[in-house]
Amino acid sequence: MKRDYLSVADLTREEIELVFRLSLEMKEELERGRGKREDLSGRLFALIFEKPSLRTRVTFEGGIKQMGGDTIYLAPQDIQLGKREAVKDVARNLNRWVDGVVARVFSHDSLVEMAENMDVPVVNALSDLEHPCQALADYLTIFEKAGRVDVNLVFVGDGNNVANSLMLLTAILGGNFTIACPEGYEPTAQIIERAKEIAEKTGASIEVVRSPQEAVKKADFIYTDVWASMGQEAEAEVRNRIFRPYQVNSELLSHAPSHALVMHCLPARRGLEITDEVLDGERSIVLDQAENRLHAQKGLLKFIYQ
Ligand code: CP
Ligand code: NVA
């Protein structure tokens, strides 16, 4: 059976642990200068991007090539998914040529439609609903820093795609997820419901609160992301006003335990959701997260194609 990775919840806890083990093995090999593997030899991947990217594109292209595979990057103007050609038709054509698709899309429904119309795996490289590869890399980073995954993760800001995926992954891994956000900017209702259902079985906790100062009091990790995601540019001005009390700055950190580390998926809007001082400060682990995108995605691909 082919394995897609559209949502964090497409892997079980045991499978996530296996992906982390594979990721760390390949990370170590790369660090020792034995980076070239042949796990994806002869395999061709289509990288469909409806939105810009630095980290996701470089780490997927780089990772696939390090594993002996090859990639074709399809920029927004190349396919015009659903405009020049129906999503279903794009999927059915690509299915005849490639061994997998990595896609960054505006609508999560496009990913679901692609997966339904392809026999090869489809991996979510960010949609409006989720950013599962980001969450996977972030928890790999948390594991490296804390030695465990059942930590207190406090997300401050917009209940967006990244928040959705982190919340779901926390539920699966049995930790505590708190989001401090303004009213009306909570994570997606169905994902909260799903996360709470999973949490009941795993012992995780999921909380939505308003006060960032209260929320960070027990934080092991404090996470933030942009206030206006790609596609929400028209709302940026309004959002910048509403989210101002949610900036991750030195004052907010003074309410957190001294061991709490700061995370951001990047790109950051310096001076908005996070200050220069915090982003560049000693407690920031944002570049470790960015590096782990490479290793986590390689682990995921190894798991999918093994
Ligand atoms: N974090 C992340 O997905 O970055 P890019 O948008 O640059 O790929
Ligand atoms: N929430 C952001 C994440 C970017 C990596 C966005 O969707 O634009």
Side-chain angles (χ1 to χ4, degrees):
M1 192 190 71
K2 72 151 173 162
R3 294 298 297 266
D4 298 311
Y5 191 57
L6 308 190
S7 164
V8 151
D10 289 342
L11 295 180
T12 64
R13 180 181 176 132
E14 289 68 33
E15 288 171 340
I16 291 164
E17 283 168 358
L18 173 59
V19 168
F20 284 174
R21 192 152 52 72
L22 297 170
S23 306
L24 292 173
E25 268 170 33
M26 282 188 275
K27 181 170 182 175
E28 202 189 313
E29 281 175 12
L30 194 64
E31 280 163 3
R32 285 169 190 260
R34 290 186 279 112
K36 186 85 177 136
R37 303 175 61 109
E38 299 306 325
D39 301 299
L40 297 178
S41 175
R43 295 199 197 267
L44 178 61
F45 291 81
L47 268 47
I48 300 176
F49 279 73
E50 287 195 292
K51 305 178 186 184
S53 167
L54 170 66
R55 280 147 290 272
T56 309
R57 178 176 174 190
V58 173
T59 53
F60 266 111
E61 284 210 37
I64 288 168
K65 286 176 180 166
Q66 284 173 3
M67 293 170 76
D70 210 345
T71 60
I72 298 179
Y73 172 70
L74 296 160
Q77 65 274 21
D78 292 330
I79 314 191
Q80 300 170 47
L81 207 60
K83 292 188 204 91
R84 180 172 185 268
E85 195 165 2
V87 174
K88 182 164 116 173
D89 291 329
V90 170
R92 293 193 304 180
N93 277 263
L94 284 172
N95 195 45
R96 297 291 181 108
W97 307 316
V98 302
D99 301 286
V101 165
V102 174
R104 168 166 287 196
V105 296
F106 281 101
S107 166
H108 192 81
D109 293 343
S110 301
L111 288 176
V112 174
E113 197 174 343
M114 268 193 264
E116 281 170 359
N117 284 282
M118 301 191 84
D119 306 311
V120 298
V122 177
V123 174
N124 181 354
L126 181 145
S127 69
D128 55 341
L129 197 63
E130 280 209 50
H131 196 0
C133 295
Q134 179 70 51
L136 213 50
D138 292 339
Y139 261 101
L140 183 65
T141 311
I142 287 174
F143 177 67
E144 286 183 314
K145 299 289 175 194
R148 60 194 174 92
V149 287
D150 56 342
V151 298
N152 292 329
L153 175 59
V154 177
F155 192 103
V156 178
D158 187 25
N160 60 17
N161 44 9
V162 172
N164 279 340
S165 284
L166 287 170
M167 180 173 63
L168 261 185
L169 191 49
T170 306
I172 296 169
L173 296 177
N176 305 307
F177 180 87
T178 306
I179 178 167
C181 62
E183 208 178 328
Y185 293 91
E186 295 81 8
T188 309
Q190 303 97 285
I191 304 224
I192 297 185
E193 206 177 306
R194 180 93 193 272
K196 285 190 170 166
E197 269 167 34
I198 298 172
E200 266 180 39
K201 296 189 201 100
T202 61
S205 74
I206 306 294
E207 242 192 312
V208 180
V209 301
R210 299 289 167 230
S211 162
Q213 287 78 12
E214 278 299 309
V216 301
K217 274 188 181 153
K218 280 194 287 183
D220 298 312
F221 295 88
I222 299 169
Y223 202 116
T224 192
D225 184 16
V226 290
W227 293 335
S229 285
M230 291 179 276
Q232 297 176 327
E233 290 77 9
E235 295 173 42
E237 222 182 285
V238 175
R239 283 172 170 265
N240 290 350
R241 254 198 322 276
I242 293 173
F243 281 98
R244 200 167 303 265
Y246 291 84
Q247 184 183 68
V248 174
N249 53 32
S250 303
E251 200 285 320
L252 183 65
L253 289 197
S254 72
H255 296 269
S258 56
H259 70 267
L261 297 173
V262 176
M263 304 178 78
H264 192 309
C265 57
L266 304 178
R269 297 296 305 271
R270 288 171 176 268
L272 289 179
E273 77 274 4
I274 190 163
T275 56
D276 283 326
E277 195 184 6
V278 172
L279 190 67
D280 301 329
E282 273 183 351
R283 295 162 79 169
S284 166
I285 55 169
V286 299
L287 292 176
D288 298 316
Q289 294 173 254
E291 183 191 332
N292 276 340
R293 292 294 303 280
L294 176 70
H295 311 302
Q297 287 157 197
K298 284 168 76 179
L300 175 70
L301 291 173
K302 168 123 185 171
F303 168 78
I304 289 176
Y305 288 91
Q306 70 193 348

